[in-house]
Amino acid sequence: MTSNHDPSILSPDRTLPPSNPPSQKTFPFPRDYHFPPYFTRQPTLTTRHAQLQKWSSLILSYCRYHKIWKLSLADAIESDLFWNKKLGKRLSREDAREVLEFMRKEGRSEAVGGKDGSVFWVWWRDPEEWAGLIADWVDDTAQKNTVLTLYELTESEATLSQDFHGMDPDLLQKALSILVKRGKAQVFGQEDQQGVKFF
Amino acid sequence: MFLKHLDLTTALRPLYLPDEVLLFVQDNVGLYEGKFKIPSHQNGSVYLTSHRICYIDTEDPRKNSVAIDLKEVERHEFYAGFMRSSAKITLFPKPSKRSSIQNRAISNLSQPSRSATASPSPRTDSPFHLPTSDPSPVGPGTWICPICSFSNPVPSNFDPYTASERTPLAPCLACGIKPPYALVMKAAIASATSRPAQPSPVPVRAPIPVRGRTDQPRSQPDTWHLSSSEGTDVQKSATASFQCPRCTFLNHPSLLSCELCGAPLISQDASRIAQPPVRTESPGPVLNTMPLPGMESNEIKISFRTGGEKIFLERLKGSMTQRKWLLQNAPPVPTVEERTIAGSGSSTPTGERVKTGGIAGLEQRSRELRKNNELVIGNAFEDLEALMASAKEIIALAESFAATNGTSGSSDSSAVANALGLVTTKDMLGGGSNSESLYISELSRNLAEFLTDDARGVLRKAGGIISLVDLWAVFNRARGGVELVSPLDFEKAARLWEKLKLPVRLRQFKSGVLVVQASDRTDEKTIKTLLAWLNDLHVFPPDKDLSWDWQVFGGGITAQDAAERFGWSIGVAEEELEMAEEKGALCREESIEGLKFWENWIDDTQAPGGRQLYNVI
């Protein structure tokens, strides 16, 4: 039940690609990323829809690649996700927000608490999927009925190969609460010293 | 056949012959042959031109349209309509060889003065089977000498269509003063209008004013003339004294000209000479064909269901008397050189032309030419009738002036020609409750013709698409300042194209801009050409380095580029590009360089050959 989990590392900075380099290789942007009109809002409905879908999938795969769970809009529009420096083209803040709004409707993003709504969850896996993933891992590693700290779950070397390694603690809470509801886990402990037991 | 096949323009109007002028249009008419309606010719428009009467069916214009040449119309009758029967105009064909007897039977009842033996070749206009001994053959018509008011005959060799100031004119028979040219011209025109539709081959040297039942025998000549209708009568009258057709003085039959007034008389010999060949032609077996019931139904009736018959009749009368179709067969207007030769020839008593060479000769020629032009213009504008008679010459002159004044003249002169004919104006159209809509539909056809006219190439010059406002300006300009079309009528007419199935269409862009384009030029075609162009941008290397992969994406085009490439106006180019964008074929890129349009690589269903290129990357 020990956890030297430091909340300071949950700062938004951590969600940004420069400070979170899981891999030194750069993300392979899709072809559309190099197409200048891709960065202009399309007025025609069908084209607009296709454009939003392409942005949506780009953001999801970008976030998956860089293991980003929380996307801060203000920072992201300065990143190469929304700014193709080679083309000299960037998505405007309004357009980026619209893309995220579109993703929200598709169930692929969610505003994180704040009223200004500039930080978004990006569900390249939604909480249900995360919950399933964690349960499966516990199953596979025969850790049922053992107690794990939340820190262990996301930061220990044992989970290094798993997608949920380094997962945002808030998201972890969400995923675990789903498992609790299903009766597959039990979370106990204090604020910073939480443990979980899987059944 | 009396009813002839009719060629139509693309706008489903009659294809005019050279020099043909549209006089009147009336819709809602039906055709009858004899007493019976002609099937599928019951709802159409009738076009009266200077040469023809054209019926154009509303239902199936290409199949059921017919024309009647006015030159084949013997006469026409008017029936005013009663109770529920509409007003009708009946057209009787000129007798063919077979039916001449029958027609004689009809016409003899009403036209005592007309020769019974109809000519087999009705176009022989010249009535002069005259004895050559006659010193001064005289055509019909008289002119009053302004000096002594003696009425002189117009010389027979004076043709109002070919005569010019240089035509030698005989002096007044009483006082010997030469008449002014315009006076003789007027007299000749006046007599031409009262000339018979079908000149008699019987030698006649006096005016024959009778044509059709409506005209009353006019004046002097008919007393003796009547007798000539049968050869035997002539024989009888030969013993009697001979009445002068002009002054009614009874001359001795052997005299060739009137003792009192000097008017030429027809000699009994002449009539005897002329008679026999005609007589062999007319009677005989034809009689047997007369009672055939089918022969009777040769007359064509036009039934005016919604009025307009009065103006039609009036203009029909006018064109029957003007007989413009004769002009078409007439010798061309003598060229300048011919005239010069004739002029100088007459000036020298020996008949030889004074020969001058070198620069002096050229100068003299140009001087004569200028003088001649002056005369023609002077005469033409002296009064209206003379102007009408010499309209052809004046147009030719105007064109030659325009040609010498510069290149821009050519379109203007065609505008002049256009203004003088073939243009639908409001007064050409029949009355009735729907005259306004008839005007609009005629204007609509007129416009369509104007647009599809290859010689003009209005649409081609504008890259196949022109805004309605531009077209309005061009069209009114081509009308030469007469009968300008109001914008309201113009738009209404343009909106009718689709309904009338004409080969042009009016299109409204989503911004509300109205443009005109050929109806076979669809949005799909426009998009195709745009995409073909964009496709080229993948192949041809750009002249500067681009930050994107041009081999994959090609390039973006602005409205300016498109306008330059296709000859469109910028406004049209913008609209076309936005149309293509709206259809999903293109997408846009906003940048500091302006709005550019690209192939739509965003929407995979639209991306050109997107799949194979995906693999390349």
Side-chain angles (χ1 to χ4, degrees), chain A residues 31 35 40 42 44 54 89, chain B residues 588-589 601-602 604 617:
Chain A
R31 187 193 51 147
F35 185 45
T40 299
Q42 298 298 322
T44 308
K54 287 202 162 168
K89 290 255 151 206
Chain B
R588 66 169 59 195
E589 178 216 346
W601 290 93
I602 294 175
D604 288 332
I617 299 161

